[in-house]
């Protein structure tokens, strides 16, 4: 079960690591020290709900549609390959430093913005319901699948709280364009590795 949990953690962490609007917003709020706990809890909790639905619901769907795991794995591998290559391509060019200027928001508005970044983002559903759900189907034993899902959920909590509370430590580093290039390169390689694993599981 430990191996499945570690795989779930690595998969979830790698997918969520990609810099996007949601992560940038959490980083900004962390730099401003505003509503960090509730924002991180909201983002991680939302991920937990979606990951649980993906891991649990995918099993029921595969019973009704046996070919679905293969289709999703192929689709996931294609998407991850394309996304990984795009991150590697992005690593070739410099990035502008993140703009953290501006006034903060109330707790209600902060969570409303986070909700929009989370629930209105189609990539969130692809990552949690689709990709994590698809990867979880490699575990036929429900104990292992549960461990995989728990690992992915823990990854979300670790990531968001680390990002929110560690933002001030990252600020001097991430202000350098080179740091963003390195991060993009790492994300790209991890995405390609996950895509390769999905394909190998089909062989």
């Amino acid at each position: 079960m430990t191996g499945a949990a570690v795989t779930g953690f690595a998969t979830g962490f790698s997918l969520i690591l990609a810099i996007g609007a949601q992560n940038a917003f959490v980083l900004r709020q962390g730099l401003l020290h505003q509503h960090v706990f509730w924002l991180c809890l909201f983002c991680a909790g939302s991920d937990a709900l979606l990951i649980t639905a993906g891991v649990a619901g995918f099993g029921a769907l595969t019973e009704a549609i046996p070919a679905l795991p293969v289709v999703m794995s192929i689709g996931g591998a294609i998407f991850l390959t394309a996304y990984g290559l795009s991150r590697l391509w992005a690593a070739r060019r410099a990035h502008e430093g993140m703009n953290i200027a501006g006034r903060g928001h109330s707790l209600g508005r902060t969570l409303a913005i986070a909700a929009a970044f989370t629930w209105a983002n189609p990539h969130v559903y692809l990552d949690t319901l689709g990709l994590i759900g698809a990867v979880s189907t490699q575990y036929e034993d429900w104990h292992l699948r549960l461990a995989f899902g728990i690992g992915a959920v823990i990854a979300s909590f670790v990531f968001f709280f680390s990002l929110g509370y560690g933002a001030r430590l990252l600020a001097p580093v991430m202000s350098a364009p080179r740091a963003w290039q390195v991060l993009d390169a790492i994300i790209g390689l991890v995405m390609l590795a996950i895509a390769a694993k999905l394909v190998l599981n089909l062989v």
Side-chain angles (χ1 to χ4, degrees):
M1 292 182 65
T2 301
V6 171
T7 300
F9 183 92
T11 302
F13 199 86
S14 298
L15 289 173
I16 202 172
L17 185 63
I19 296 298
Q22 183 191 50
N23 295 348
F25 183 65
V26 173
L27 181 58
R28 179 184 182 277
Q29 292 301 115
L31 290 167
L32 295 175
H33 279 193
Q34 293 181 340
H35 317 302
V36 178
F37 175 81
W38 294 112
L39 176 60
C40 293
L41 183 63
F42 176 86
C43 292
S46 297
D47 262 12
L49 290 175
L50 290 168
I51 290 171
T52 300
V55 173
F58 221 78
L61 283 176
T62 55
E63 294 181 2
I65 311 175
L68 188 58
V70 175
V71 174
M72 288 298 297
S73 293
I74 294 175
I78 293 173
F79 172 80
L80 289 172
T81 298
Y83 187 82
L85 292 176
S86 72
R87 290 300 87 204
L88 292 177
W89 179 260
R92 298 178 65 252
R93 64 178 187 273
H95 294 255
E96 295 182 358
M98 178 171 291
N99 180 18
I100 62 170
R103 299 175 60 183
H105 306 294
S106 65
L107 175 59
R109 187 176 180 185
T110 296
L111 295 182
I113 294 173
F117 284 150
T118 302
W119 296 95
N121 183 2
H123 286 105
V124 170
Y125 298 98
L126 179 61
D127 289 347
T128 53
L129 296 178
L131 294 176
I132 292 181
V135 176
S136 72
T137 59
Q138 66 183 296
Y139 300 105
E140 297 182 1
D141 190 316
W142 74 270
H143 291 92
L144 296 178
R145 189 172 296 181
L146 176 62
F148 175 87
I150 291 174
V153 168
I154 291 175
S156 289
F157 276 87
V158 170
F159 175 82
F160 280 116
F161 278 90
S162 297
L163 180 62
Y165 285 101
R168 285 194 176 271
L169 298 176
L170 292 173
V173 177
M174 298 312 294
S175 63
R178 180 63 176 174
W180 290 100
Q181 289 179 292
V182 172
L183 182 60
D184 272 334
I186 293 174
I187 292 172
L189 292 175
V190 170
M191 292 295 121
L192 291 178
I194 296 175
K197 184 175 182 179
L198 283 175
V199 173
L200 290 175
N201 287 334
L202 296 176
V203 178

